[in-house]
Amino acid sequence: MTRKRVSTRRDVLKRTGMAVAGGTVVVGTSAAQSTNGKVVFTYDDGPIKDYTHAYQRAHREEDVPGCAAVPSAGVGTDGNLSAAQLRELEDNGWEIMSHSVRHRALGAMAVTEDIAPDDRKLYVESNLHGKMEGDRLVVNDGSQSATVTVRGRDSDERGEFVTLDSAVGTSFAADDGVTERYVDEVVRTSLRESRTQLEEYGVTVTNMVMPYGAYGPRTRELAGEYYTAVANGGLAIGGRGQIHRGGDITLPHLSRTMFRKGKMTETELAEFLDGVADRSALGILGGHSWHERLPPSRIKTAIRMAKERGIDIVTLRDALSSFDLTGKETNRTTQTTRTQADKTGTADDGLESGQQRTTSQSSETTAETGQPGFGWLATVAGVGGTAVLRRRLGE
């Protein structure tokens, strides 16, 4: 069932060219006029704590927006955001983003052992692609490929592997850079249906966060067909933890950094925000609201630090709009600025599903969880698998 979206006070102000500073409406101002940059808060996985913790106890209190990246199959299931909560968040200035349908790792996985033609298993850096029987994978070394069908997954003393319903039929040498990935049909379906399903709940979806930060070459090509931007696409542009100058952004690829305690110190957060403000740039922060190291107090600290620097706290959609970016029209080489956060490894991370909460079988949201906070004002002028692999992949 579709829902006609009701215009909010924020929508009216945006259409009339006004913005808000604190409780004051400022005529003739816009986010594009800010001189201190913009920061976007993104929260992954769509857990209920996006609403109860990030939104109610942090963003709403600070009157600033956030972005919720939601696996569409999990909406309304136990422990996750409901459709009504998605609409409420959006009506109060939040942006709802795609996080795939079932939190699949849509990038490529490296094959770690040689493959013989009669092999019925693939040793890989992570067996995430083996969780759904019947999925089809492409094994490729750059010069030849083979399509196989998943039977399951497991691990032994040699590592994690994906089991197949028949022999590979071709030999591959792991040293040749062999990878396996979902066939295009699986990737396209996940990208397309996530947006379609979320929009059926009455919200607008134009951007996404890639589960686990898994963002291989083919996924990078396909993502831009369905979304304006991928908030955690740093692997496509030289690394995570970067900030972006508005005139040098190449969509859909953007970079973000995780800001929970243990991933980013307060000093590193200050340096990141200083870089945004000094360069009038765009910075994206990511987190999981269910994580004990990202309590509302930590979120409020980050928000207040941004406000102190005069940084606009906006949604990603509004940030891109303020830079006159539409995704299809921007094709420049990205020149980004690497911050101390990147040097110290404070990048996105993927987490085991067991580390967050139990999800329903139907949602199959198998990892990160976290989401946005609230704030009806998005364009205030001048105001503010394997755990190791998942940490490496998961922006």
Side-chain angles (χ1 to χ4, degrees), residues 41-96:
F41 286 80
T42 62
Y43 303 88
D44 299 358
D45 302 341
I48 190 65
K49 285 190 175 181
D50 281 357
Y51 184 86
T52 59
H53 284 52
Y55 167 62
Q56 291 187 323
R57 295 172 57 188
H59 283 259
R60 184 170 66 181
E61 291 185 8
E62 294 295 328
D63 201 23
V64 296
C67 302
V70 183
S72 59
V75 176
T77 61
D78 185 40
N80 291 306
L81 292 167
S82 68
Q85 287 167 335
L86 293 181
R87 292 191 291 268
E88 181 180 345
L89 288 173
E90 185 178 82
D91 287 344
N92 285 282
W94 280 63
E95 177 180 345
I96 306 305

Side-chain angles (χ1 to χ4, degrees), residues 10 14 31 63-65 93 312-315 318-319 375-380:
R10 174 174 172 275
K14 287 177 66 180
D63 201 23
V64 296
D312 294 342
I313 300 172
V314 299
T315 64
D318 286 347
W376 72 271
L377 167 162
T379 54
V380 284

Side-chain angles (χ1 to χ4, degrees), residues 157-358:
E157 68 281 356
R158 292 160 59 185
E160 298 187 27
F161 58 83
V162 175
T163 58
L164 310 174
D165 70 354
S166 61
V168 177
T170 307
S171 62
F172 294 88
D175 288 344
D176 290 339
V178 185
T179 62
E180 55 85 358
R181 65 170 179 86
Y182 289 123
V183 297
D184 283 4
E185 179 186 2
V186 173
V187 178
R188 286 186 180 279
T189 297
S190 187
L191 295 173
R192 180 183 63 249
E193 292 305 310
S194 175
R195 179 172 183 171
T196 298
Q197 292 170 13
L198 289 172
E199 291 190 333
E200 286 175 350
Y201 293 124
V203 297
T204 299
V205 179
T206 57
N207 301 309
M208 83 170 296
V209 171
M210 198 66 64
Y212 308 101
Y215 201 41
R218 185 56 178 152
T219 310
R220 299 170 194 173
E221 294 174 2
L222 296 177
E225 296 183 19
Y226 300 94
Y227 299 97
T228 301
V230 176
N232 62 340
L235 293 179
I237 53 174
R240 299 160 177 157
Q242 302 176 52
I243 61 175
H244 305 273
R245 293 179 184 273
D248 297 320
I249 293 174
T250 297
L251 295 175
H253 319 303
L254 296 172
S255 175
R256 75 171 183 175
T257 188
M258 307 302 277
F259 74 105
R260 73 169 186 263
K261 297 177 181 178
K263 294 294 290 185
M264 178 179 261
T265 67
E266 195 163 314
T267 298
E268 290 165 349
L269 177 57
E271 291 174 348
F272 181 85
L273 294 174
D274 285 342
V276 171
D278 293 345
R279 299 172 178 86
S280 298
L282 167 64
I284 305 175
L285 295 174
H288 302 89
S289 64
W290 51 265
H291 202 291
E292 61 182 8
R293 292 188 177 182
L294 191 63
S297 59
R298 172 70 169 184
I299 298 173
K300 287 194 286 187
T301 293
I303 291 172
R304 290 169 183 171
M305 290 172 69
K307 286 182 174 181
E308 289 169 359
R309 290 160 173 78
I311 298 171
D312 294 342
I313 300 172
V314 299
T315 64
L316 182 57
R317 184 183 301 123
D318 286 347
L320 296 177
S321 176
S322 73
F323 290 126
D324 295 322
L325 298 174
T326 63
K328 302 296 184 183
E329 300 171 359
T330 305
N331 189 28
R332 293 182 289 273
T333 301
T334 302
Q335 297 176 9
T336 52
T337 303
R338 196 171 297 277
T339 66
Q340 183 65 26
D342 190 36
K343 297 175 185 176
T344 54
T346 53
D348 281 18
D349 63 337
L351 298 170
E352 294 278 1
S353 57
Q355 291 176 281
Q356 46 158 307
R357 80 262 188 265
T358 302

